Amino acid sequence: MVNNTTLEHDIYLFHQGNLRYSYKLLGAHPDTQDGEQGIRFAVWAPNAKQVSVVGDFNQWDGREHPMERFNDNGIWMTFIPNLDQGTIYKYEILTPHGHLRLKADPYAFSSELRPETASVVHPLDNYTWSDDEWMRERKAKNPYESPMSIYEIHLGSWKYIEPEVFYNFREYAEWVIPYVKNLGYTHIELLPIMEHPFDRSWGYQITGYYSVTARYGSPDDFKYFVDQCHQNGLGVILDWVPGHFCKDEHGLRRFDGEALYEYENPSKAEKTQWGTLTFDFGRNEVQSFLTSNAIYWLKEYHLDGLRVDAVASMLYLDFGKEEGEWELNEYGGRENLEAVEFIKKMNEAIFEEIPDTLMMAEESTSWPLVSAPTYIGGLGFNYKWNMGWMNDMLKYIEMDPIHRKYHHNLITFSLMYAYSENFVLPISHDEVVHGKKSLLNKMPGDYWQKFANLRAFLAYMYAHPGKKLLFMGGEFGQFDEWKDLEDLDWELLDYDSHNNTLNYVKQLHQLYRDTPALWELDHKEEGFFWIDPNNYEQSIVSFARNSRTSNDQLIVVCNFTPQVYHDYKVGVPKHGSYKEIFSSDAEQYGGSGQTNGLPLHTIPEPWQGQDQHITMTIPPLGVSFLKRTSVSKEENHEK
């Protein structure tokens, strides 16, 4: 039974935009009143003339269970005895215009399987977690100085029973987790699994923000998936979409007959390019709804972070709009000032509630300080997707190698701003769909060169400062672009080139996770320095990655042409012997085998700004990782 004092306080906070757990106030909750067990329903509908709870239990007759208006700000409540988990329901709303509307519960924790649209009662406390060790270790972990390699996955097209018929979260746990763990990833990132009506929106156009999609099972099934990930050492990040919602009639659109969750002004509300509506970020109750929603997924589902979709569409009033379709803000600018303030407020609340979480912004512009704290003027995320690096590198790698020397800046420019944010390097689903071609098929050249280019690209990505993200299929060289209505082409693993690529990604991850220089100082300038960024004629770059321990320094040499170079001079900062500890051109990965098997001893002659150099074989379309394994006689003598 709800305490009235607590109830009134929560309602006050809700209307102030400061209720961080509004899903405990609103929605459908098991309760006991006057000794009877049943369900307590609460919904915010300030413009409604009347609201009723309807379902099979009352033959969908709104006269049977009308709700009472609790306060003047539009919260309606009722208690219905003898209802239990699994009850199917909607709200019947009489609008100010005298129309009856059937709406799904904005705070429902479960929903019917599409095409059905009703909400389903589901308690929050059904599941018993077994990930205490993971959650404890997470609190003690510094993500900025830890390896982070993310496998982005759309469950329904990773593997399915048949088109539009999917496996359960528990079955996906059985297959996905061992696969991703074996490859050496640290995290799984799921495309949105909130309830959505249309499969091909991939979950980015949502009707049930608090509801796990019934496509893959129940809320408890999803908790099991996350729990199993944690028990197997994998973090889970979920795509989250606070920027817009779809217009389906049973959803949030004009929920009580008027614009409620969306802006009243069409120039601010309409996302014309997506056919969706923008949340009214200036409305306090919407702020409570969205902030609580983020906290809900992080708290109730033990998620390790949220990747926030389309942040730029929230920040800019003119995003995706033509001239005349938007209006300047009060200061004559194009920024959505309400959205900016909401984002800051939301992130502050989230990190106060869950300090050890990840909030990653997909922000595609040069908005400053996205991943900086709000107290120094930042937006308050702790990571930002590096869309600039992604666009430059894909543009570069798609070129015929003969033309790459004319665009050498595309592989070096990212280091000009690499430390302006805490970056994730993303090769996501958006880059391999809708005619953009798969990652492998973006690569120029013949069959061998495509795979060599892919290996070189991935090696450079893992050597570059920043955390990593790769969309499913890229790990074994899917030839076709992402087919969202089909599952991955697993039969390709019967072919050596694809199986070798899968093994390559596994070994690349092993190198990455075992080498602190590749992640410990990702976000600090002392973690990287160029040896030679200027050899555009041969499309070769070389650089060093540092860790906090000087002996862990790694030298990386990248060749983006199919030319082999023998006795190539590379400046190195320390004398001694260097060993090639990894080569993307090794025969076991399908390469040509132009590797450096013997120790590379330094020659005490300056080169490329270093006091000494080595000579080595530079593989075609290859990347070599070198590590100093012994000191020279002179250094031993000095000691």
Side-chain angles (χ1 to χ4, degrees):
M1 183 178 293
V2 179
N3 179 283
N4 277 340
T5 302
T6 301
L7 179 62
E8 290 178 1
H9 181 65
D10 284 352
I11 289 174
Y12 171 79
L13 292 176
F14 175 71
H15 292 310
Q16 292 296 309
N18 296 320
L19 186 59
R20 298 175 178 180
Y21 294 86
S22 61
Y23 61 88
K24 295 184 179 181
L25 166 69
L26 298 163
H29 298 269
D31 202 354
T32 301
Q33 294 190 15
D34 299 326
E36 288 189 289
Q37 293 184 340
I39 304 297
R40 171 176 54 84
F41 295 90
V43 65
W44 175 56
N47 299 300
K49 286 183 159 183
Q50 180 58 55
V51 183
S52 299
V53 185
V54 296
D56 291 339
F57 56 90
N58 62 12
Q59 291 73 54
W60 299 88
D61 187 342
R63 296 169 297 183
E64 292 293 316
H65 294 100
M67 305 180 78
E68 293 183 9
R69 192 174 186 123
F70 185 84
N71 64 5
D72 292 336
N73 291 319
I75 290 182
W76 300 75
M77 305 182 78
T78 194
F79 173 80
I80 304 178
N82 302 318
L83 298 185
D84 202 353
Q85 175 176 341
T87 297
I88 295 171
Y89 71 101
K90 280 188 178 181
Y91 295 119
E92 182 186 86
I93 296 175
L94 181 62
T95 74
H97 313 290
H99 301 129
L100 284 177
R101 296 285 184 265
L102 285 177
K103 290 287 189 176
D105 187 348
Y107 284 87
F109 304 139
S110 184
S111 304
E112 287 187 296
L113 178 63
R114 51 95 175 95
E116 304 304 324
T117 57
S119 301
V120 180
V121 174
H122 192 96
L124 285 175
D125 56 359
N126 271 5
Y127 186 82
T128 302
W129 290 89
S130 301
D131 64 346
D132 290 353
E133 183 180 356
W134 171 272
M135 299 301 282
R136 281 195 305 270
E137 290 178 354
R138 197 182 84 179
K139 283 182 169 61
K141 192 174 187 178
N142 180 348
Y144 308 108
E145 297 185 2
S146 302
M148 188 186 301
S149 179
I150 305 165
Y151 185 75
E152 188 189 35
I153 182 171
H154 177 252
L155 288 176
S157 55
W158 190 81
K159 191 174 186 178
Y160 62 24
I161 299 171
E162 59 183 75
E164 301 183 357
V165 181
F166 309 111
Y167 292 102
N168 183 278
F169 282 117
R170 293 174 185 265
E171 293 171 300
Y172 282 119
E174 183 181 342
W175 299 317
V176 172
I177 293 171
Y179 178 80
V180 177
K181 181 181 179 181
N182 180 59
L183 286 175
Y185 286 93
T186 64
H187 290 74
I188 290 173
E189 181 177 316
L190 296 164
L191 270 63
I193 53 86
M194 301 80 173
E195 195 57 79
H196 53 284
F198 184 45
D199 287 7
R200 301 202 73 182
S201 80
W202 316 327
Y204 290 99
Q205 295 193 11
I206 295 169
T207 50
Y209 270 79
Y210 287 82
S211 181
V212 173
T213 178
R215 288 168 177 81
Y216 309 130
S218 71
D220 296 338
D221 293 333
F222 182 49
K223 289 179 180 180
Y224 175 86
F225 179 91
V226 176
D227 199 355
Q228 290 298 308
C229 283
H230 286 172
Q231 291 180 52
N232 282 276
L234 290 170
V236 183
I237 300 165
L238 180 62
D239 269 18
W240 185 56
V241 191
H244 63 118
F245 58 89
C246 64
K247 295 181 176 181
D248 289 60
E249 186 59 33
H250 67 284
L252 299 178
R253 177 178 176 267
R254 302 193 76 83
F255 183 76
D256 59 3
E258 301 291 344
L260 190 64
Y261 287 89
E262 71 269 37
Y263 285 108
E264 178 67 45
N265 182 347
S267 72
K268 294 180 77 171
E270 293 287 342
K271 283 278 198 298
T272 50
Q273 69 179 127
W274 296 328
T276 55
L277 293 169
T278 305
F279 281 102
D280 183 348
F281 300 113
R283 190 157 197 164
N284 290 340
E285 296 85 355
V286 173
Q287 293 177 15
S288 289
F289 174 83
L290 288 173
T291 300
S292 295
N293 188 244
I295 291 171
Y296 165 79
W297 290 108
L298 294 167
K299 280 276 195 179
E300 302 297 335
Y301 289 90
H302 289 204
L303 293 171
D304 301 283
L306 298 175
R307 175 266 195 185
V308 184
D309 180 61
V311 172
S313 79
M314 301 169 69
L315 295 174
Y316 296 100
L317 295 166
D318 63 341
F319 182 90
K321 294 183 178 180
E322 302 294 332
E323 188 175 348
E325 293 181 342
W326 62 284
E327 300 171 9
L328 296 169
N329 65 32
E330 59 187 288
Y331 300 111
R334 62 192 186 98
E335 300 83 10
N336 186 336
L337 302 176
E338 296 161 346
V340 175
E341 290 310 307
F342 163 69
I343 289 170
K344 293 179 179 180
K345 179 180 177 180
M346 174 195 71
N347 279 327
E348 288 173 357
I350 289 169
F351 283 107
E352 285 177 12
E353 298 293 332
I354 316 110
D356 54 330
T357 197
L358 301 170
M359 289 296 291
M360 299 179 166
E362 187 225 3
E363 202 288 307
S364 54
T365 74
S366 57
W367 189 284
L369 302 177
V370 171
S371 59
T374 57
Y375 60 80
I376 62 169
L379 289 182
F381 295 96
N382 55 358
Y383 277 97
K384 174 181 174 175
W385 275 24
N386 194 336
M387 309 297 279
W389 172 87
M390 178 272 295
N391 284 312
D392 284 351
M393 278 307 300
L394 291 183
K395 183 178 179 181
Y396 179 84
I397 207 69
E398 287 188 70
M399 294 177 184
D400 188 300
I402 200 171
H403 300 303
R404 288 176 178 168
K405 66 180 181 180
Y406 303 111
H407 303 274
H408 193 71
N409 63 300
L410 292 175
I411 56 171
T412 59
F413 180 66
S414 59
L415 270 302
M416 298 292 289
Y417 60 87
Y419 305 102
S420 62
E421 303 276 3
N422 299 326
F423 279 123
V424 174
L425 309 183
I427 300 298
S428 75
H429 63 280
D430 278 332
E431 314 317 321
V432 294
V433 74
H434 295 328
K436 294 182 181 179
K437 298 187 290 189
S438 71
L439 188 57
L440 177 64
N441 223 8
K442 292 178 188 291
M443 305 297 161
D446 58 25
Y447 185 81
W448 185 89
Q449 289 178 340
K450 281 183 178 294
F451 283 95
N453 270 300
L454 176 62
R455 293 192 301 272
F457 172 81
L458 292 174
Y460 182 71
M461 174 182 176
Y462 276 73
H464 190 287
K467 308 310 181 186
K468 326 298 177 187
L469 179 143
L470 184 65
F471 185 58
M472 64 182 197
E475 74 277 10
F476 62 80
Q478 172 107 354
F479 252 118
D480 290 345
E481 69 179 16
W482 177 36
K483 299 165 287 189
D484 54 11
L485 292 181
E486 301 178 32
D487 53 10
L488 293 180
D489 295 332
W490 295 108
E491 65 275 9
L492 291 176
L493 290 175
D494 293 335
Y495 297 89
D496 287 345
S497 294
H498 298 276
N499 200 48
N500 289 340
T501 300
L502 187 73
N503 185 50
Y504 172 74
V505 169
K506 178 180 178 179
Q507 297 305 318
L508 184 61
H509 275 127
Q510 187 69 54
L511 169 73
Y512 173 68
R513 295 182 70 159
D514 289 348
T515 310
L518 292 176
W519 40 262
E520 196 171 49
L521 297 176
D522 260 333
H523 312 301
K524 297 183 181 297
E525 291 188 34
E526 57 265 33
F528 175 98
F529 68 86
W530 285 114
I531 293 173
D532 182 16
N534 301 315
N535 187 358
Y536 65 90
E537 282 289 349
Q538 294 171 300
S539 298
I540 295 175
V541 295
S542 54
F543 53 88
R545 292 297 310 273
N546 295 326
S547 72
R548 295 197 180 281
T549 304
S550 61
N551 290 337
D552 286 337
Q553 186 180 74
L554 204 65
I555 307 298
V556 184
V557 185
C558 311
N559 176 18
F560 291 104
T561 73
Q563 181 66 46
V564 181
Y565 298 97
H566 298 287
D567 299 321
Y568 186 92
K569 294 167 68 173
V570 177
V572 292
K574 297 178 181 179
H575 49 202
S577 296
Y578 285 78
K579 179 182 179 182
E580 184 178 72
I581 61 171
F582 189 85
S583 172
S584 70
D585 193 51
E587 290 183 355
Q588 69 189 89
Y589 309 132
S592 65
Q594 296 291 328
T595 57
N596 296 271
L598 298 176
L600 304 171
H601 302 292
T602 55
I603 299 169
E605 296 174 1
W607 188 253
Q608 296 173 336
Q610 309 302 316
D611 291 337
Q612 52 273 312
H613 67 271
I614 57 174
T615 61
M616 61 178 293
T617 295
I618 303 292
L621 297 171
V623 176
S624 299
F625 293 78
L626 311 174
K627 191 170 183 179
R628 192 172 71 143
T629 56
S630 65
V631 298
S632 65
K633 293 179 181 179
E634 291 82 359
E635 191 171 357
N636 269 326
H637 181 71
E638 289 170 4
K639 290 181 179 179

